[in-house]
Amino acid sequence: MQAFLHRHGLILTAVTGAVISLAACGGGGGSTSSTSTANTSASYSGTVTGLGSIVVNGVRFSTVGATTTDPDDPSSSYGSALTLGSSVTLQGNIDPATGTVGQATRIVVHGGVRGIVGAVSGNTFVVAGQLVQVDANTLYADGASWASVNGMSVEVHGTLSANNVLLATRVEQESQSGTYPYAVVGQVSALDTDAGTFQLALSTKTLTLPIPAGMTLSNGLTVRVLSTIDPTGVTPLTTNNTKVIVKGDRSLSGKTKLRGAITSLSPLTINDITVDASQNPKWDDGLNFGALTVGQVVKVEGTLSNGTLVAREIEADEYEHKSGTGEYLDRIKLYGLVSATNGTTFVVQGVSVSLSSGALPAVGSYVEVKARLVNGVLTAHEVSGNTTTSSSRFETYGTVACNNGLSDLQVSSFNLLTTTQGTLAVNGSNASKVVYDDDVRTTSVGSYSCFLEVEGSVSNGVIQATKIEVKRRTAPV
């Protein structure tokens, strides 16, 4: 049970902005369920900056019912909660009337760099031979912190920059158990189809890796390499001890918004996507082509075809979070049920938020939070409640006993257990069911546990579920 939810716990000392390939779901408190019949399909790629539903580029996206793939095995479904600072690519539908309301249909969760932290210096450290750079917006989770990270087993999510440096958005403590305790992310170079090899340059060494059977690679393509052994060791990396996963953004098409670091200016390249900036795009936040630098993180919106993104708008990474005075106010957005309060802090979606002034929201109440980091502490600058059911829906994750299958969820009251929010009361009697995997349809009985994503609103401290998605049903051991 805890294995499903271990990624949900946060120590929030910092969080960076995010971009996602997804289907939009209303921002700023808009309904996550209303979509137009003329919705436009779109794709977004980047980092998660909000929860309940997920938020990307300042836009909120509903995720219940979306096909979500596992970062270590894209052929399998993802049975964990989406988290702040993680990297995703989403596809879905956006309401053209608002540009902020929609529904994700497919979410690809991208794993990060994994291994033991070493060579800590300044604002960098090394994991599995790969250089990682942190900043004031990096999120530390699951027991990780900058002070304790040296020697810790971690997974680091982020944006790939020049020379395969990872700009960290999230650092989480990670058990070294599992098939692939090591992972690196980089761009393919020195591709040799005759020899059947390619290279991946890390900060400490250049890896020579076998091309997996049936996989087509090209120089400059972003890949993640999983390994059963430390890639910086002396044992050769072979098809027996590695697994290669292609990030896949080049296969996207149509309306796209992409966040990433500039890896080349000629041609202009973000991640491994070539950007055509020759069609007179709109430049925001004082940007222009001459002001761009390699390693700078930007967001580009436009149309993607055959691996080239024809830019319609280019903006600085923080542009959408600026207030009229130029302050960065709403880097993080949270929607959901207040599960705890303590002194001047409250918890929503498992994230602790400090309130600098005003009364704390009540435990059990629904809130919408806009927050920013102040001296490493996530501090709310706006907290609002919303009693209108149609515009206060949110999503959350947890586990529940489901010994008899889905019928255990079609009841007026059950307890949803989360690792970071405690036990949440749910009324599932009026919820529609979205079944994720074939194995959860089983009618077998026994000591089963279901991992759920629940969408609903709050009434008297109880989540009134409108949709319940069974992400995974664990059979009795």
Side-chain angles (χ1 to χ4, degrees), residues 253-311:
S253 62
K255 180 179 173 62
T256 298
K257 190 164 187 178
L258 175 73
R259 174 189 180 270
I262 297 173
T263 55
S264 170
L265 293 173
S266 182
L268 179 60
T269 307
I270 297 175
N271 298 339
D272 56 7
I273 303 296
T274 300
V275 177
D276 179 358
S278 67
Q279 305 301 310
N280 193 31
K282 177 184 177 184
W283 294 86
D284 291 322
D285 209 23
L287 283 183
N288 58 66
F289 191 87
L292 300 180
T293 60
V294 171
Q296 181 179 7
V297 178
V298 296
K299 296 184 179 116
V300 180
E301 185 173 355
T303 302
L304 197 149
S305 180
N306 297 322
T308 297
L309 180 59
V310 179

Side-chain angles (χ1 to χ4, degrees), residues 229-240:
I229 60 173
D230 187 343
T232 63
V234 297
T235 304
L237 298 179
T238 68
T239 53
N240 293 325

Side-chain angles (χ1 to χ4, degrees), residues 52-381:
S53 314
I54 60 173
V55 176
V56 171
N57 293 346
V59 179
R60 188 179 173 194
F61 300 86
S62 180
T63 55
V64 171
T67 299
T68 307
T69 64
D70 188 88
D72 285 358
D73 184 5
S75 65
S76 299
S77 60
Y78 187 52
S80 298
L82 296 171
T83 54
L84 287 173
S86 57
S87 300
V88 297
T89 296
L90 293 91
Q91 292 172 289
N93 300 293
I94 295 177
D95 183 351
T98 65
T100 61
V101 178
Q103 170 66 52
T105 56
R106 177 176 171 81
I107 304 172
V108 177
V109 181
H110 302 298
V113 175
R114 196 155 62 211
I116 306 296
V117 174
V120 178
S121 177
N123 66 338
T124 65
F125 55 82
V126 174
V127 177
Q130 183 152 18
L131 187 65
V132 175
Q133 180 178 323
V134 301
D135 61 20
N137 289 318
T138 302
L139 164 71
Y140 296 89
D142 297 336
S145 68
W146 175 253
S148 65
V149 75
N150 193 18
M152 181 179 286
S153 176
V154 299
E155 181 161 341
V156 184
H157 303 262
T159 299
L160 192 65
S161 187
N163 301 317
N164 289 335
V165 175
L166 192 72
L167 307 179
T169 58
R170 177 183 176 90
V171 180
E172 61 187 36
Q173 187 171 10
E174 180 84 7
S175 169
Q176 276 215 294
S177 61
T179 306
Y180 297 104
Y182 299 93
V184 292
V185 179
Q187 291 188 332
V188 172
S189 63
L191 182 67
D192 187 338
T193 55
D194 292 331
T197 61
F198 69 96
Q199 291 185 348
L200 208 64
L202 306 180
S203 61
T204 60
K205 67 183 296 186
T206 297
L207 304 178
T208 298
L209 297 150
I211 300 173
M215 181 173 286
T216 300
L217 300 178
S218 59
N219 287 321
L221 189 68
T222 300
V223 296
R224 180 170 181 249
V225 178
L226 308 176
S227 179
T228 61
I229 60 173
D230 187 343
T232 63
V234 297
T235 304
L237 298 179
T238 68
T239 53
N240 293 325
N241 56 31
T242 61
K243 181 177 183 178
V244 179
I245 299 172
V246 178
K247 188 168 187 286
D249 282 356
R250 287 183 181 180
S251 63
L252 299 174
S253 62
K255 180 179 173 62
T256 298
K257 190 164 187 178
L258 175 73
R259 174 189 180 270
I262 297 173
T263 55
S264 170
L265 293 173
S266 182
L268 179 60
T269 307
I270 297 175
N271 298 339
D272 56 7
I273 303 296
T274 300
V275 177
D276 179 358
S278 67
Q279 305 301 310
N280 193 31
K282 177 184 177 184
W283 294 86
D284 291 322
D285 209 23
L287 283 183
N288 58 66
F289 191 87
L292 300 180
T293 60
V294 171
Q296 181 179 7
V297 178
V298 296
K299 296 184 179 116
V300 180
E301 185 173 355
T303 302
L304 197 149
S305 180
N306 297 322
T308 297
L309 180 59
V310 179
R312 184 178 65 84
E313 184 174 2
I314 301 176
E315 63 187 43
D317 184 31
E318 295 281 10
Y319 177 73
E320 70 198 20
H321 304 290
K322 275 191 174 181
S323 68
T325 61
E327 292 184 285
Y328 301 130
L329 293 182
D330 58 351
R331 186 67 161 171
I332 305 300
K333 295 181 180 180
L334 301 168
Y335 306 84
L337 186 70
V338 176
S339 58
T341 60
N342 182 20
T344 60
T345 65
F346 63 97
V347 178
V348 59
Q349 293 291 353
V351 179
S352 292
V353 184
S354 175
L355 191 63
S356 57
S357 63
L360 287 172
V363 172
S365 63
Y366 170 79
V367 293
E368 299 177 359
V369 180
K370 295 180 180 179
R372 57 173 169 162
L373 288 163
V374 178
N375 297 323
V377 177
L378 188 65
T379 303
H381 74 86

Side-chain angles (χ1 to χ4, degrees), residues 379-405:
T379 303
H381 74 86
E382 182 179 326
V383 180
S384 60
N386 197 323
T387 58
T388 304
T389 301
S390 62
S391 59
S392 63
R393 289 178 184 164
F394 66 98
E395 290 146 44
T396 193
Y397 297 86
T399 56
V400 63
C402 52
N403 299 340
N404 300 304

